């Protein structure tokens, strides 16, 4: 029986989109293995020391007494030396040659100002090495695959596994968040704010300045020196249940990013029957153009016009909801896990064939 190890460092990192993707794929893979056991391979989640808030049935867990880079670059490769190592959160050990790595985007190269100098230096040093040493590189969109190729991070085209977006339905709605924020159903636009320049929060702040702009509910951090108008409502830290409620009750969701490797929040919104306005940028066009209103990320007037169109035309809004629901139904974590399991199986079958050829 062959050992398949999953790099569990994502459990100890701040839960950004990358860590959420890794967690959800592992959970979906565990469900798949529970329903369809793998009699040839044994799966293990290898974790650093510390609290571990993930419950698995078919994937065993291995705890190592280290954290951070020491865990990933020293303890992890030693513990996984006898098997295939799968890294789902951009990074992995440089000394483990029998590995698969998922790189979510190339934004350290395309939008360097969104990251600290230390982060840029580390990623620009490590990712090309991982890309060359990994047996297979995965990513989340054709756009990200092209960017990773064009910046020399990988030499051959990565295999695309689209993210799932159905996790948002696991959280029970929390309707009291509307009263807490002082908003009513269909009266506001929902969006995420970020200090990272490529998230383009400035467009939302400019949109709010129009006299006929609706209230805009923002989750996340504002850019430095931002001066939000009175119709900007900050959520503060919110739970997944509150997030679901805000999607379900918004007039629409706005995602004006200048680039995205996938754009997970747009899919979450579609899952919650919330119509989506998205920028014509990055992977957003590839993933969502058939189910969202696609707009110029530099023109807030276009966004206001689209918002007013949805507010004044319920049939148009409902048609967009229907398209979004249909698109979201194709983006599931179960499908992502099935694809990952197939890729792992193909990689291990290649090993078996190679050993058989050497023996003959």
């Amino acid at each position: 029986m062959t050992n398949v190890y999953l790099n569990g460092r994502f459990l100890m990192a701040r839960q950004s989109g990358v860590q959420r993707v890794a967690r959800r794929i592992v959970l979906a893979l565990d469900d798949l293995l529970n329903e369809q056991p793998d009699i040839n391979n044994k799966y293990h989640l290898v974790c650093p020391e510390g609290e571990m808030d993930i419950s698995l049935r078919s994937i065993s867990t291995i705890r190592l007494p280290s954290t951070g880079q020491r865990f990933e670059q020293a303890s992890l490769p030693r513990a996984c030396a006898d098997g295939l190592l799968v890294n789902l959160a951009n990074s992995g050990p440089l000394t483990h040659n029998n590995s698969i790595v998922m790189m979510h985007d190339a934004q350290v190269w395309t939008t360097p100002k969104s990251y600290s100098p230390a982060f840029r230096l580390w990623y620009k040093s490590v990712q090309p090495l991982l890309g060359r040493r990994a047996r297979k590189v995965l990513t989340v969109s054709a756009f990200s695959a092209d960017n990773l190729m064009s910046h020399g991070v990988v030499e051959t085209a990565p295999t695309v596994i689209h993210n799932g977006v159905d996790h948002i339905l696991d959280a029970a709605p929390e309707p009291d968040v509307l009263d807490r924020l002082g908003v009513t159903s269909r009266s506001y636009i929902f969006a995420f704010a970020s200090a990272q320049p490529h998230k383009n929060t400035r467009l939302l702040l400019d949109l709010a300045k129009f006299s006929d702009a609706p209230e805009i509910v923002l989750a996340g951090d504002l850019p430095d020196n931002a001066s939000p108008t009175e119709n900007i409502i900050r959520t503060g830290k919110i739970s997944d249940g509150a997030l679901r409620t805000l999607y379900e009750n918004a007039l629409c969701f706005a995602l004006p990013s200048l680039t995205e490797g996938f754009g997970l929040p747009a899919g979450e919104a579609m899952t919650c029957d919330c119509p989506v306005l998205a920028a014509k940028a990055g992977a957003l066009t590839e993933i969502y153009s058939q189910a969202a209103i696609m707009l110029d990320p530099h023109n807030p007037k276009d966004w206001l016009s689209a918002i007013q169109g949805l507010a004044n035309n319920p049939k148009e809004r409902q048609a967009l909801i229907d398209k979004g629901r249909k698109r979201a139904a194709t983006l599931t974590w179960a499908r992502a896990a099935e694809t990952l399991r197939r890729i792992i199986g193909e990689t291990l079958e290649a090993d078996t064939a190679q050993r058989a050829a050497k023996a003959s």
Side-chain angles (χ1 to χ4, degrees), residues 154-352:
V154 295
E155 296 177 344
T156 58
T159 299
V160 174
I161 301 180
H162 284 157
N163 292 334
V165 297
D166 49 331
H167 56 273
I168 191 67
L169 298 180
D170 291 346
E174 298 177 15
D176 61 327
V177 70
L178 301 179
D179 291 336
R180 178 170 66 82
L181 297 177
V183 295
T184 57
S185 185
R186 309 293 178 265
S187 69
Y188 64 91
I189 310 307
F190 183 46
F192 285 94
S194 173
Q196 291 182 301
H198 75 273
K199 295 296 186 179
N200 200 24
T201 302
R202 294 287 178 186
L203 180 131
L204 299 169
L205 298 175
D206 290 342
L207 171 63
K209 293 176 183 177
F210 289 109
S211 60
D212 49 352
E215 292 177 318
I216 302 177
V217 175
L218 292 181
D221 300 322
L222 293 179
D224 294 339
N225 302 318
S227 299
T229 51
E230 291 184 357
N231 57 339
I232 293 287
I233 300 171
R234 307 282 303 283
T235 66
K237 186 175 181 179
I238 56 173
S239 65
D240 284 351
L243 179 62
R244 176 177 175 177
T245 298
L246 290 171
Y247 281 133
E248 290 177 340
N249 289 276
L251 174 65
C252 63
F253 175 74
L255 186 58
S257 302
L258 300 176
T259 186
E260 288 283 353
F262 185 85
L264 196 66
E268 292 177 337
M270 290 177 179
T271 302
C272 295
D273 286 350
C274 179
V276 172
L277 311 183
K280 296 177 183 176
L284 298 177
T285 303
E286 170 195 342
I287 305 296
Y288 299 114
S289 63
Q290 301 303 312
I293 297 176
M294 308 302 295
L295 298 163
D296 181 350
H298 302 288
N299 191 337
K301 286 186 178 180
D302 286 355
W303 292 71
L304 179 61
S305 177
I307 290 165
Q308 291 173 336
L310 292 178
N312 296 328
N313 192 333
K315 288 185 178 180
E316 178 185 342
R317 183 176 181 275
Q318 185 59 52
L320 196 60
I321 288 172
D322 293 342
K323 290 178 181 178
R325 187 189 305 120
K326 183 177 180 180
R327 178 55 174 143
T330 69
L331 301 170
T332 68
W333 293 114
R335 180 172 292 185
E338 288 170 359
T339 305
L340 177 61
R341 183 178 179 178
R342 174 180 57 78
I343 291 168
I344 290 170
E346 291 170 352
T347 304
L348 296 176
E349 286 170 7
D351 291 342
T352 301

Side-chain angles (χ1 to χ4, degrees), residues 112-151:
K113 291 183 179 179
S114 289
Y115 304 93
S116 70
F119 187 92
R120 294 198 303 265
L121 178 62
W122 174 250
Y123 261 59
K124 287 186 175 183
S125 300
V126 170
Q127 281 204 303
L129 292 174
L130 283 173
R132 286 192 288 271
R133 294 183 181 186
R135 296 184 61 185
K136 185 170 285 293
V137 176
L138 314 175
T139 193
V140 297
S141 65
F143 173 80
S144 286
D146 290 344
N147 269 352
L148 290 166
M149 289 281 289
S150 65
H151 288 281

